[in-house]
Amino acid sequence: MSSHKIVVLGLVVLLACCGAFCGCRGSDQQQETGSATPGEGAGAPSETAAVPDVPVVIEAYYPLNPSHQFIADYVLAIGEANPETVTVAVYDMQSSEGRKKWMTTGLSCAGVFVNGSTEHQIRRGDETETVNFLRRMDVTWTRDDLLTVIQQELDKVGATLVPPKEAAEEGAGTAEPETESSD
């Protein structure tokens, strides 16, 4: 194989790896700034989705395959540990109903909305940083980032977050998410 072909092949492999690691990018101005707001009118995925009287509403959009199930398990564990203050809906992007709901959000990849936004400001001491719950947990954002944002939202109503069980934190949770059924 010529050195030119090896260089081209190397670039193709490099681009594929970058795409796999970095995930997807937004397709519009709102996504480019790193935030998104879920669409309206697509309906709830489960009985846990529509609880407007709680201070924190989480909507997660992921393909519920072995590579992403731990994220769904983790956000569901947060809701289970905080039933009076946090509601969680998980949508399977691989099901037709989940894909329809995901398409209304403006996202071009997987992500987690907390009270209608994927982008939040986190206060850590005197510092403020921006976190965006797009793509994979533990790669582009952390469990601590998510818990911090949820606690900040609960602070507004004087509530305290109960951390999820340790098994879910380690990605070993076995909770079955309530999702829209596939066709």
Side-chain angles (χ1 to χ4, degrees):
M1 190 181 286
S2 74
S3 63
H4 177 67
K5 288 181 182 177
I6 291 173
V7 170
V8 171
L9 180 62
L11 287 173
V12 169
V13 170
L14 178 63
L15 289 173
C17 289
C18 287
F21 178 75
C22 295
C24 36
R25 293 193 46 88
S27 59
D28 59 17
Q29 184 73 23
Q30 183 179 17
Q31 251 335 84
E32 290 296 322
T33 63
S35 66
T37 304
E40 298 177 352
S46 67
E47 296 172 29
T48 64
V51 183
D53 295 336
V54 299
V56 177
V57 176
I58 298 173
E59 291 183 303
Y61 297 86
Y62 284 92
L64 297 182
N65 57 35
S67 296
H68 296 91
Q69 185 65 49
F70 76 100
I71 303 168
D73 291 344
Y74 188 71
V75 296
L76 286 166
I78 293 170
E80 289 169 6
N82 299 275
E84 301 297 318
T85 55
V86 178
T87 186
V88 176
V90 172
Y91 297 89
D92 183 1
M93 294 166 50
Q94 292 178 319
S95 74
S96 63
E97 290 301 312
R99 192 170 28 264
K100 285 178 194 172
K101 176 68 175 164
W102 170 75
M103 290 172 54
T104 68
T105 67
L107 291 175
S108 62
C109 60
V112 177
F113 290 93
V114 177
N115 287 349
S117 181
T118 60
E119 183 177 280
H120 295 270
Q121 300 298 310
I122 294 179
R123 296 180 307 271
R124 297 191 198 270
D126 294 337
E127 302 287 319
T128 299
E129 63 184 72
T130 300
V131 64
N132 202 329
F133 300 120
L134 295 176
R135 301 175 197 85
R136 290 182 63 85
M137 179 173 73
D138 298 330
V139 174
T140 60
W141 52 275
T142 68
R143 298 162 202 255
D144 185 56
D145 293 338
L146 182 60
L147 295 178
T148 299
V149 166
I150 294 168
Q151 184 57 63
Q152 286 178 180
E153 292 298 312
L154 291 175
D155 286 346
K156 295 174 185 176
V157 296
T160 302
L161 177 70
V162 176
K165 294 179 186 173
E166 221 169 284
E169 290 176 3
E170 296 302 318
T174 58
E176 290 294 322
E178 294 181 28
T179 61
E180 290 288 337
S181 61
S182 304
D183 288 339

